[in-house]
Amino acid sequence: MPLVWALTGSRVGDNQQVLLVCAALGFEVREVPLTYGWLRILPNRLLGATTSTVAPDAREGLRPPWPDLIVGAGQRSVPVARWVQQMSGGHSKLVFLGRPRAPLDWFDLVVTTPQYGLPAGDKLLTVGLPYVQ
């Protein structure tokens, strides 16, 4: 059965959306709570694939077995998700909810809503309504 990592952080609304989408998939889900240090304020394009933005105690949850799918929301989790994908040898697929504030081609799928005004593309799914349980 595929393993899904649900990247969660300090924003309750983002977390609820991530966990709801992961639960709907019907796969094994592991919640990976992330807390961040001061480097979180740097732009994702500058950071690249890294865990340097994550507080040391939260880094301990970032170890194999690597997931088949990573689901996250919010710009802070982008560098971490890309690092996990890199560690998995490119095996882990990246799905982001909302606006990742990063190039869309970094992701396998971005699920967003119209208010973000993201450009149309093969990897973008725009939904008209919020996720509900």
Side-chain angles (χ1 to χ4, degrees):
M1 176 177 283
L3 174 60
V4 179
W5 280 13
L7 302 182
T8 58
S10 63
R11 297 181 182 230
V12 174
D14 286 350
N15 295 344
Q16 289 176 336
Q17 291 179 48
V18 166
L19 293 170
L20 183 63
V21 167
C22 288
L25 295 172
F27 301 134
E28 178 184 351
V29 176
R30 179 176 150 217
E31 183 177 354
V32 180
L34 299 174
T35 54
Y36 300 94
W38 70 271
L39 287 175
R40 74 185 183 284
I41 64 172
L42 297 175
N44 287 330
R45 286 181 189 265
L46 180 63
L47 289 166
T50 184
T51 60
S52 64
T53 60
V54 178
D57 60 327
R59 288 183 199 148
E60 293 185 26
L62 300 171
R63 59 181 162 213
W66 301 118
D68 299 291
L69 178 67
I70 303 165
V71 180
Q75 70 181 25
R76 292 180 181 165
S77 58
V78 170
V80 177
R82 292 186 67 221
W83 179 86
V84 172
Q85 184 182 49
Q86 193 174 67
M87 292 298 102
S88 76
H91 172 78
S92 300
K93 302 299 181 198
L94 304 182
V95 173
F96 266 73
L97 311 179
R99 180 174 54 179
R101 296 187 189 270
L104 297 181
D105 63 354
W106 287 3
F107 307 96
D108 294 289
L109 178 65
V110 174
V111 181
T112 191
T113 51
Q115 80 259 19
Y116 293 124
L118 296 177
D122 294 341
K123 296 180 178 185
L124 183 75
L125 173 63
T126 302
V127 295
L129 299 171
Y131 318 108
V132 293
Q133 198 166 355

